[in-house]
Amino acid sequence: MTEREKSSEAYLSEAEQFQFNEYCDCLEISLELLRDKTVLDAGAGARLFAAAAVHLGLIKNIYSLEKNIKGVGPFSRDNIEKDWSMVPPEIQQRVDANTIVASYDHIPLADESMDLVIVKSATPGAPSWRLDEVPKNKKGQQ
C-alpha cells in the first residue's frame, strides 16, 4: 500500500468519524434512515459528508449542493483542497458526478426526486435541519 493510499484510508476514517457522525448526530439521522435513499445535502461545503456516505455504501444517491465549492463559508480554499486531495480518486469522481454548483432557489433537480434533504450549517448558532418524508403529489407517486 502506498503512502497516499494509507493517508486516504486514514482520512476517510476521519471523515466518517467527524464529518459523517457530526451530521448524523446533529440532525438525528440514523444509518437506517439513510439506507437506500436519494439524499440532497444542501450547503454541502467541502462535500466530506458525501464522500463518507459514498465510502460507506449506504445511500442510493447523494447530491451535494453548494454555491461555491472552492471556498465556502468558514472553510478556506486551502483547507478544502487539502481535505479533498486526501479522498481517493474513485470516491472523488462519484461525488463530483453528483455535485451541483447552483443557487439554492434554483436547484436543477426534478421535483420530488429526493427522499431526504439535509442542511447542516457550519455557522455557529445557525439552524440545521432535515426534511424526510418529502411530500409527493398524486402525480409523482409510483
Side-chain angles (χ1 to χ4, degrees), residues 6 24 30 32 48 74 85-86 93 102 104:
K6 285 180 189 173
C24 291
S30 68
E32 199 53 44
L48 299 177
S85 72
M86 300 293 285
Q93 289 171 354
Y104 303 144

Side-chain angles (χ1 to χ4, degrees), residues 9-92:
E9 230 177 49
Y11 178 77
L12 276 178
S13 176
E14 182 179 322
E16 291 164 9
Q17 291 172 13
F18 295 105
Q19 188 77 11
F20 190 81
N21 289 339
E22 182 181 334
Y23 264 67
C24 291
D25 291 346
C26 177
L27 299 170
E28 298 178 357
I29 296 172
S30 68
L31 296 182
E32 199 53 44
L33 179 66
L34 294 173
R35 191 173 311 283
D36 298 323
K37 298 289 193 292
T38 299
V39 178
L40 173 64
D41 180 8
R47 303 174 296 157
L48 299 177
F49 175 77
V54 168
H55 178 71
L56 290 171
L58 288 170
I59 296 175
K60 180 178 173 182
N61 261 324
I62 184 160
Y63 293 88
S64 300
L65 174 69
E66 186 56 63
K67 289 182 183 181
N68 179 8
I69 294 300
K70 292 297 182 186
V72 292
F75 302 105
S76 76
R77 182 181 182 134
D78 290 341
N79 286 342
I80 289 173
E81 289 177 359
K82 177 184 171 204
D83 289 347
W84 193 244
S85 72
M86 300 293 285
V87 176
E90 64 277 7
I91 301 289
Q92 286 183 16

